Amino acid sequence: MIRNIRNAFAISLLAGAMLLAIPLAWAQEPAEKTPAEKTTTEKNQTAKPQPDKTPAQKPATESPGRPRDLEPGINKTFYLSNVSGPTDLQDVVNALRTIVSIQRVQQIPSLGAIVMRGTAEQVDLAQKLIDDIDKPKKKFGGEYRLDFRIRELESEKRLNSRTYTLLIEPHELAKLRLGTRVPLSANNDPDKKQLQFIDVGQNIDCQVRTETESAVGVNIDVDFSNFGMSEQLTGEGHGYPVLQQFRVTVKTTLELGKPIIIDSFDDPSSKRTFQIEVVATRVKQKE
């Protein structure tokens, strides 16, 4: 009987184990795939991985302290002895860029220098070009003589001619005073001794402001005066002297050695005409 009980217990254990195994088998069984999934699976199983044939890029090596975008070449600094102004230096820079095809070039006005970077051939061409440009400028300044000739004409007939000469240094003001200081009463009371003076005669002020090899730029101020009788001017015949005054202020350029008429005008009280002619001559060369 005991044996029957043991058999029955074993059978029940076996049946329970089978019941537990059935759901696990169902869970592990894969679901049925669609035709499209089967095709994709077959392709993935047959495709073999291809090795990457792209060559590995080596990291770019950079020299210590060298910018990445700096092209290989030669650095050169040119110090110009006779070209120092910013405008003149810029003209040299423009010539290097145009003629030598140098792009990396910069002027330094405070040092009178030009810095560039280029190939050895470009540096040699730049040196030749700068040597041609950076030459001592010809000295043409000095002391000048200005001859003033004032002509008095009537109906194109010369009545009078006076000549005055001034020696002048550049940028210095030269003055000529020739005439008489005439006292004038300060008021209508002749008993009072308050007098004013006026210069009657020829006054010339002149200044050389610019110089070139063949010409000078000048400022000229000519003032000449004389006395005439009142009846000559008004026809009334009061007998009082009347002061006639003519003044010319001119800024002009005089070609050296060439007579130039800087002004011509008529006398309003007569039929006379006045001409002012000037000749500039360099008498001393600047050392």
Side-chain angles (χ1 to χ4, degrees):
M1 184 175 180
I2 294 174
R3 184 179 294 176
N4 295 333
I5 294 173
R6 290 178 178 175
N7 294 334
F9 181 73
I11 294 171
S12 62
L13 289 178
L14 181 59
M18 293 176 63
L19 293 175
L20 292 175
I22 292 173
L24 293 175
W26 287 348
Q28 294 177 358
E29 184 179 356
E32 187 177 355
K33 297 182 180 180
T34 62
E37 293 175 344
K38 291 179 180 180
T39 304
T40 304
T41 303
E42 293 174 356
K43 289 182 178 180
N44 293 336
Q45 291 177 353
T46 56
K48 295 182 180 180
Q50 298 294 330
D52 188 5
K53 296 182 180 180
T54 304
Q57 296 182 355
K58 296 182 180 180
T61 58
E62 296 182 359
S63 300
R66 176 182 174 184
R68 180 180 299 176
D69 59 345
L70 187 60
E71 299 176 357
I74 301 174
N75 291 329
K76 181 71 174 180
T77 302
F78 298 96
Y79 294 94
L80 286 75
S81 303
N82 304 289
V83 179
S84 57
T87 303
D88 297 335
L89 287 175
Q90 186 60 50
D91 291 341
V92 177
V93 170
N94 294 338
L96 291 175
R97 289 174 176 170
T98 304
I99 299 175
V100 190
S101 300
I102 295 176
Q103 300 302 321
R104 295 182 177 275
V105 56
Q106 179 65 41
Q107 60 169 312
I108 306 178
S110 60
L111 299 178
I114 292 177
V115 179
M116 59 157 289
R117 183 176 180 83
T119 63
E121 183 180 359
Q122 288 177 323
V123 171
D124 292 340
L125 291 176
Q127 182 70 66
K128 294 179 181 179
L129 180 62
I130 290 177
D131 290 342
D132 291 339
I133 297 176
D134 188 29
K135 291 182 177 180
K137 296 181 180 179
K138 185 177 180 180
K139 297 180 179 180
F140 45 77
E143 188 179 23
Y144 297 91
R145 184 183 75 240
L146 271 69
D147 296 317
F148 293 84
R149 180 168 294 176
I150 301 176
R151 297 190 183 96
E152 186 177 355
L153 308 173
E154 184 174 3
S155 300
E156 299 183 356
K157 181 181 179 180
R158 182 179 299 181
L159 301 179
N160 195 4
S161 178
R162 296 177 294 277
T163 301
Y164 310 95
T165 299
L166 291 174
L167 290 178
I168 183 172
E169 291 283 347
H171 309 294
E172 297 293 334
L173 180 63
K175 296 183 178 183
L176 172 67
R177 300 290 184 266
L178 183 63
T180 305
R181 291 182 61 84
V182 179
L184 299 177
S185 176
N187 48 48
N188 296 327
D189 189 354
D191 296 333
K192 295 184 178 180
K193 301 299 182 181
Q194 297 179 0
L195 298 177
Q196 294 180 347
F197 291 86
I198 185 172
D199 293 331
V200 178
Q202 289 76 37
N203 299 327
I204 299 176
D205 295 344
C206 182
Q207 184 179 31
V208 175
R209 52 186 175 82
T210 60
E211 302 172 86
T212 65
E213 186 176 357
S214 60
V216 290
V218 294
N219 296 341
I220 298 175
D221 192 351
V222 179
D223 184 350
F224 59 96
S225 55
N226 55 40
F227 281 106
M229 297 304 296
S230 61
E231 61 267 19
Q232 294 177 344
L233 299 178
T234 63
E236 296 178 357
H238 294 294
Y240 297 114
V242 177
L243 181 65
Q244 290 181 296
Q245 188 176 28
F246 306 93
R247 185 168 185 175
V248 176
T249 300
V250 176
K251 287 185 178 182
T252 186
T253 300
L254 303 177
E255 185 177 349
L256 296 179
K258 181 179 180 180
I260 296 177
I261 297 176
I262 63 171
D263 202 355
S264 178
F265 54 92
D266 295 331
D267 182 0
S269 63
S270 67
K271 296 181 180 180
R272 296 180 181 181
T273 300
F274 293 91
Q275 290 181 349
I276 302 176
E277 181 185 271
V278 184
V279 181
T281 307
R282 183 179 292 123
V283 295
K284 184 180 179 181
Q285 190 76 20
K286 184 183 295 183
E287 297 180 357

